Structure formats: structure tokens, C-alpha cells
Amino acid sequence: MKSRLNPAAWVMFTSLVIDLIGFTIILPLMPKLLDHYSLTGGASISFLESTVKTLQETLNIPEKFNSVMTGGVLGSLFSFLQFLASPLAGCLSDCYGRKPALLVSMVGIAASYALWVVSDNFILFVLARAVGGISKANVSLATAVMADITDSATRAKAMALVGVAFAIGFIIGPVTGAAFSAWGIDSNEGNWWFWPAMFSLTLTVINFGFLSVFFKESLPKEKRAKSLQLSQTWNLVNPVSLFKFQLADGISKKDLEKLKVLGRVYFLFLFLFSGLEYTLTFLTHLRFNYNAAQQGKMLLFIGLLMAFFQGGLVRRVKPGKEKMLALIGLGVIIPSFVVVGLSNSATALYFGLALYSLGSAIVIPCLTAMTAAYGRADQKGAVIGTLRSLGALARAFGPLLSSFVFFVFGAGPCYCIGAVGLILPFVLLRQSPL
């Protein structure tokens, strides 16, 4: 008999799609936003730009690469704050339930978009991003919900559904953002970002209402953790404790060792992958002179392929085969970055992006499904929250390192170095007895 997903999985899928459309709208707008705040001035952005310019002049680097480094610094802020918040949200949801934690997260995300609506200066914009980073625990919580309502037969399918939601978000959101960007270029209004920000805010309000009505608590009171120990607070933000999965107290030693391996693989992959992913739009802008519309089309291509691979491949993976599929994904994504980094034509670029889409569609859902298999019901939030926090930590520092390598050496060396580095998580996963 074919295993069917719990209806709550589709509720979470719909919520994630709504959320990720709003979240990704800003991606093609970021260069224009930075240009706007640079032109309008302000002490904070002037200090950041002058610091980057001093570094550029000291290292004798072409000035056109300055935006890469500036964007890298801002791009890391959001993920660093998410790194701080995700495990805490997971632990709180283990004690008080998934639904209250999800709704609180939605309120915070809405507040961040409301700040973006009125961000007529750089400080307000940074504050909006900071509030969003602290509040962005809903993806981690959604993954914990999927772990609550699945078993070994349906877990990979549910995690693939999370991946499909990301793919759909990256299909619709950037294209919508590109349309807003094109409209903003032709608009003479000073606050041209008002409508994309308001659109994201509206989606979040709708999402709050949707979850309030349709999501039924997935963690019954009798399965919840009895209390959140204050002694755990340091473990929530201590990278050493996170790599040891110390929040998941009570897991057998054998399973804990496997979680540690998965945590290292997950971190190393996302540390390198996120940095190269973040600099992709800078590569196409500098090498191929892509505008916002062309960037949107490129992200649409990636999103469509990811949705196809996740819906047609990852959702069909049999229990116990997740490791093999993750290795295939890692094996494909390594050459993809070499092809993209060395591409000198749109044909070569899109061939590399096709490989990239296949690899990125596979690796994260499979690693997440493998991790979600460990721990009791009252530990799932802590386990998944820790994994997501390791990912956020990787995304906080990965773009900084890649942006710096791109800034100093250029796109080709940056992507080739990243591809070589990705061999490490491949070997680590392959040799582990998972």
C-alpha cells in the first residue's frame, strides 16, 4: 500500500510557498537598493563603502568588484541572526507546541517587512533585515512539523516537499521582484521599494491567517518536553555545542555520533555552497552584464529545474537510500561550479546551472531527512533546530568568505576553489556508516 502524507504536510507546504515568495522578492532588488542608499548617503553605508574601498585600493583590485564585498557583508547579517534564533525556536516549540512558535515567527517576519516599507534610510533597512533574521524560524519549525507527522516511509517525501516549496518560492518570488525592479526604474518615486515591501507584508499577514485557521498542532501535549532548561541557553548559540548536538539530550551515543557526522557534512556543504550561490548574481552581472530581468529569468530557470528534480526524484526515494542520493547530488554539484565559474557564454553558464539545480535539489532534503530520523518526538525540534542553525551559521560566513575570494581573485578562481572544497563533505559522507 502506497504511503500517503499527513494533510498537515500540505498545510506546511502551502505556508512555506507563501512565505518564500515574499522572502525571495528582494533578491533581484538588492543591487538597486544598495545603489539607492549609496546615492542618498548616510553615515552607516558610507562607512561600509569606504571600508571596502580602502581594502580595494590596498589590494589593487578593480573597483567594479566593490559591490560584491558590500553585498556579502549585508547578506551574512540575516543568516547570522537566524543562526542565533533557530535552535531557541526549536526548543521552545518542543515545550509549548509548533503552532504558537510558528505564529510568533510570522509576527516577527511581518514586522520586518513593515520596517522595510518605511525604510527611507539605510539604518532602517538594516534593522528590517535584522528583525527578519531573528524571526525567520518558520522553515526550521516547518521541518520539525514534517518530522512529527512522518515515519521512515514518508520522511524523505515530506522533506522533498519542503524543497519543492523552496523551488516554487524561487520561481515566483525573484520574477515578481524583477517586475517590481523594472517598474521602479521607470518610476520617479523616491520610495519605489514600497510596493514590493507591501506585497511581502501582505503575503505574511495572509500566511498568519492561513496557519491560524488550517494548521492543527502536530506535537500533542503528552509528547512535549516538560521544560526548557535555562542552562541550555549557552548551547543554543555555542557552535561547539551545536556541532555536538548537545541540545538533543538523551539520544543514544551511537545515534549522536551519526548526528555529529550529518551536522559536519551539512555545515561544510552549505558553507561552500551558500557562498558560491550568493555571488552567482554578481558573476552574471559583471561577466554577462545581466540586468534584474535577466537575473530573474536565470533564477526562474534554476527554480523550475529544482522543482522538477525534487518533485520527480527526491519525493520517490525509498527509505534508506537518502545517503546514496545525497552523494549523487554532491558529485554533480562539484563540476557544476567549475563550469559556471569558467563559463564565457550563456550556453556554458546554463549548462552549469542545470547541473547546479540537480545537485542543490537533492542534497539538502536528503541530509535533512536523514537527520530527522533521530530523536524522540519531544527532541525533533531541538534536532532539526540545531541542524538548521548549523546551516544558518554556514550561510552567515560562507558568503563573506566567497565574496572576499571573488573580490580578490575574481569569479573563476572563487568557483574552482569552492568546487575543490566541496570534495570534503562528499568524502566525509561517503566514508560515514550512516
Side-chain angles (χ1 to χ4, degrees):
M1 182 176 174
K2 188 174 180 180
S3 300
R4 292 185 178 275
L5 286 174
N6 187 303
W10 294 103
V11 174
M12 291 312 308
F13 169 76
T14 304
S15 173
L16 282 174
V17 169
I18 296 171
D19 172 72
L20 290 165
I21 290 172
F23 174 68
T24 55
I25 278 175
I26 198 172
L27 296 183
L29 301 177
M30 191 63 80
K32 182 173 171 61
L33 281 167
L34 292 180
D35 287 345
H36 168 80
Y37 292 122
S38 179
L39 290 172
T40 55
S44 53
I45 193 167
S46 296
F47 172 76
L48 179 59
E49 288 182 330
S50 64
T51 302
V52 172
K53 186 171 181 61
T54 300
L55 184 61
Q56 171 250 323
E57 291 174 346
T58 302
L59 298 175
N60 195 27
I61 295 165
E63 190 173 354
K64 66 179 182 179
F65 291 137
N66 285 14
S67 61
V68 181
M69 196 67 220
T70 304
V73 173
L74 293 176
S76 293
L77 172 66
F78 186 95
S79 290
F80 179 72
L81 293 171
Q82 190 179 21
F83 150 70
L84 297 178
S86 288
L88 178 59
C91 287
L92 288 172
S93 76
D94 283 341
C95 292
Y96 303 109
R98 312 297 188 211
K99 188 169 184 176
L102 278 166
L103 294 178
V104 170
S105 175
M106 287 295 111
V107 171
I109 293 169
S112 74
Y113 291 140
L115 283 170
W116 184 23
V117 168
V118 298
S119 60
D120 56 357
N121 61 70
F122 185 64
I123 292 178
L124 268 179
F125 177 69
V126 172
L127 180 61
R129 298 299 291 168
V131 172
I134 292 171
S135 306
K136 196 67 177 175
N138 63 309
V139 177
S140 173
L141 294 169
T143 310
V145 170
M146 295 299 196
D148 291 339
I149 61 177
T150 57
D151 54 24
S152 60
T154 57
R155 188 167 293 115
K157 186 184 297 185
M159 296 309 170
L161 208 57
V162 174
V164 172
F166 267 87
I168 294 174
F170 272 82
I171 290 169
I172 301 174
V175 172
T176 306
F180 277 121
S181 180
W183 175 82
I185 291 171
D186 296 330
S187 172
N188 291 321
E189 297 181 24
N191 60 339
W192 58 268
W193 65 85
F194 174 87
W195 291 112
M198 183 59 72
F199 186 73
S200 294
L201 175 59
T202 302
L203 287 177
T204 306
V205 173
I206 292 171
N207 204 0
F208 181 92
F210 175 78
L211 285 171
S212 299
V213 174
F214 293 103
F215 178 63
K216 307 301 179 185
E217 179 59 59
S218 63
L219 187 63
K221 289 185 178 180
E222 62 272 15
K223 292 186 177 181
R224 295 178 190 173
K226 301 304 179 184
S227 63
L228 177 66
Q229 300 296 325
L230 292 178
S231 59
Q232 290 182 324
T233 304
W234 172 241
N235 292 337
L236 297 173
V237 294
N238 180 2
V240 175
S241 298
L242 291 171
F243 277 108
K244 292 181 177 180
F245 280 81
Q246 288 184 358
L247 290 174
D249 189 36
I251 291 180
S252 69
K253 185 176 180 180
K254 183 179 178 181
D255 287 350
L256 191 59
E257 290 304 314
K258 292 178 180 179
L259 279 175
K260 290 177 184 177
V261 172
L262 285 168
R264 289 194 291 269
V265 172
Y266 189 83
F267 174 83
L268 288 170
F269 171 74
L270 273 179
F271 178 75
L272 295 161
F273 173 82
S274 65
L276 301 176
E277 176 189 49
Y278 183 81
T279 56
L280 178 61
T281 53
F282 291 99
L283 181 151
T284 53
H285 176 69
L286 293 170
R287 184 176 294 175
F288 300 105
N289 200 29
Y290 275 14
N291 57 28
Q294 290 169 311
Q295 302 280 21
K297 290 177 183 177
M298 178 185 71
L299 294 172
L300 173 63
F301 173 79
I302 293 171
L304 286 171
L305 284 182
M306 286 182 64
F308 173 77
F309 290 132
Q310 286 171 333
L313 181 62
V314 182
R315 288 185 67 237
R316 302 177 189 277
V317 64
K318 295 180 180 179
K321 299 295 184 181
E322 295 92 347
K323 177 181 175 180
M324 180 189 70
L325 198 58
L327 286 171
I328 292 172
L330 281 165
V332 168
I333 210 163
I334 292 170
S336 78
F337 280 121
V338 176
V339 175
V340 170
L342 300 180
S343 62
N344 54 13
S345 68
T347 302
L349 173 67
Y350 272 79
F351 174 71
L353 291 177
L355 294 176
Y356 161 94
S357 301
L358 173 59
S360 57
I362 290 174
V363 177
I364 295 302
C366 287
L367 291 178
T368 305
M370 292 168 70
T371 304
Y374 299 102
R376 302 185 307 269
D378 63 341
Q379 296 171 324
K380 296 293 185 185
V383 170
I384 298 299
T386 299
L387 186 76
R388 297 292 305 184
S389 191
L390 286 172
L393 181 64
R395 288 186 177 277
F397 293 102
L400 274 180
L401 179 63
S402 287
S403 296
F404 182 75
V405 175
F406 192 120
F407 179 67
V408 175
F409 300 107
C414 174
Y415 277 68
C416 289
I417 291 170
V420 172
L422 283 167
I423 296 173
L424 181 57
F426 176 86
V427 172
L428 188 60
L429 181 62
R430 187 172 183 273
Q431 293 180 346
S432 63
L434 296 171

